[in-house]
């Protein structure tokens, strides 16, 4: 079972994080889930999702909702320093932050590690694992751009929440799937939710 750390922060685009969670679970991955406090506000604002505030309760709720096993979905509190994601000896080698706020991006770029989400990203960077940040803001300030450049130079991948339109999307779902498919491609997880470039060109 491939293990992935998925962090959802308080940037707009909670729907991307939720779709990615669904896809990772249906691909049979083990998901180590982290959520910031602001992420819960955005989930409620944008998707009317009111997941339980208490992590253990929320984990049980999501396991029941997605019909997965306890082993497949683990949710950690923001100061659960004994969780596997807090240490290079146990953390998954792949982590996605989707969507990623500019605040979290800045904290990671500067090694703050003040909560488990930031610490987990710091661990993946120091262990030379794969860190994908689905950054979302518009426009970007020089601070945002400098932080993104720094993280890219450290080996992270900035995969902005900027879906393409060349697949002629008919719905918000098409746009969301486009972006989530690119994330899955980067993680080398088989996906069938959105075709790749040559598959579009073959169709036209
Ligand atoms: C509905 C909503 C949308 C937001 N959208 C963004 C956004 O797109 N990008 C961003 O950087 N912050 C956005 N914010 C602000 C962040 O939530 C805020 O900076 C927060 O402190 C980020 O904390 P976190 O990184 O721990 O999740 C948004 C907040 C709300 C309530």
């Amino acid at each position: 079972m491939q293990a992935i750390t998925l962090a959802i922060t308080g940037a707009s685009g909670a729907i991307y994080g939720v779709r990615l969670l669904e896809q990772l679970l249906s691909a049979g991955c083990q998901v180590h889930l982290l959520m910031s406090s602001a992420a819960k506000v955005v989930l409620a604002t944008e998707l009317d999702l009111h997941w339980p505030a208490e992590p253990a309760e929320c984990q049980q709720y999501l396991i029941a909702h997605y019909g997965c096993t306890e082993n497949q979905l683990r949710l950690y509190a923001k100061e659960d320093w004994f969780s596997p994601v807090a240490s290079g000896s146990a953390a998954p080698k792949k982590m996605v932050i989707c969507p990623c706020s500019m605040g979290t991006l800045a904290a990671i770029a500067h090694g703050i590690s003040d909560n488990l989400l930031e610490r987990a990203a710091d661990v993946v960077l120091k262990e030379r694992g794969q860190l994908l940040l689905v950054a979302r803001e518009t426009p970007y300030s020089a601070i945002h751009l400098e932080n993104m450049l720094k993280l890219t130079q450290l080996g992270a991948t900035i995969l902005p929440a900027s879906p393409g339109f060349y697949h002629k999307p008919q719905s918000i779902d098409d746009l969301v799937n486009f972006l989530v498919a690119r994330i899955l491609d980067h993680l080398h997880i088989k996906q069938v939710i959105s075709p790749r470039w040559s598959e579009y060109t073959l169709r036209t």
Side-chain angles (χ1 to χ4, degrees):
M1 192 185 273
Q2 181 169 188
I4 309 267
T5 303
L6 169 61
I8 302 177
T9 72
S12 187
I15 193 169
Y16 294 123
V18 173
R19 183 68 44 84
L20 182 58
L21 174 61
E22 286 165 12
Q23 290 297 312
L24 291 173
L25 292 173
S26 66
C29 297
Q30 181 185 57
V31 180
H32 296 252
L33 184 62
L34 301 166
M35 266 187 291
S36 72
S37 308
K40 290 170 192 154
V41 176
V42 181
L43 281 164
T45 305
E46 296 186 341
L47 300 175
D48 291 322
L49 285 178
H50 300 273
W51 291 350
E54 204 274 312
E57 200 188 327
C58 188
Q59 176 175 292
Q60 289 312 314
Y61 171 83
L62 293 175
I63 286 169
H65 182 75
Y66 290 111
C68 59
T69 61
E70 301 243 349
N71 187 41
Q72 215 193 339
L73 178 56
R74 299 169 182 203
L75 175 63
Y76 307 113
K78 67 179 181 182
E79 293 198 347
D80 186 352
W81 305 115
F82 294 101
S83 65
V85 299
S87 167
S89 60
K93 300 291 177 252
K94 297 181 178 191
M95 176 171 180
V96 188
I97 307 181
C98 177
C100 183
S101 73
M102 294 302 104
T104 289
L105 195 136
I108 297 166
H110 292 84
I112 305 293
S113 295
D114 196 32
N115 58 48
L116 184 64
L117 196 159
E118 294 166 10
R119 167 66 183 166
D122 200 51
V123 166
V124 173
L125 280 180
K126 83 180 174 77
E127 298 293 329
R128 306 284 196 267
Q130 186 181 14
L131 179 63
L132 299 182
L133 297 110
V134 182
R136 198 276 145 196
E137 186 49 275
T138 194
Y140 291 130
S141 73
I143 295 173
H144 304 150
L145 292 166
E146 280 180 9
N147 287 336
M148 285 192 249
L149 177 62
K150 187 171 178 186
L151 286 166
T152 299
Q153 289 170 337
L154 287 167
T157 300
I158 306 295
L159 198 156
S162 311
F165 286 82
Y166 49 79
H167 63 313
K168 299 186 177 68
Q170 303 298 306
S171 64
I172 289 177
D173 259 6
D174 288 348
L175 291 167
V176 172
N177 286 344
F178 177 97
L179 192 85
V180 171
R182 295 292 78 79
I183 298 167
L184 295 168
D185 288 344
H186 270 261
L187 295 171
H188 304 293
I189 293 171
K190 191 172 157 47
Q191 60 83 16
V192 290
I193 53 173
S194 192
R196 293 178 192 81
W197 177 251
S198 57
E199 294 158 351
Y200 298 115
T201 49
L202 284 175
R203 282 197 301 179
T204 55

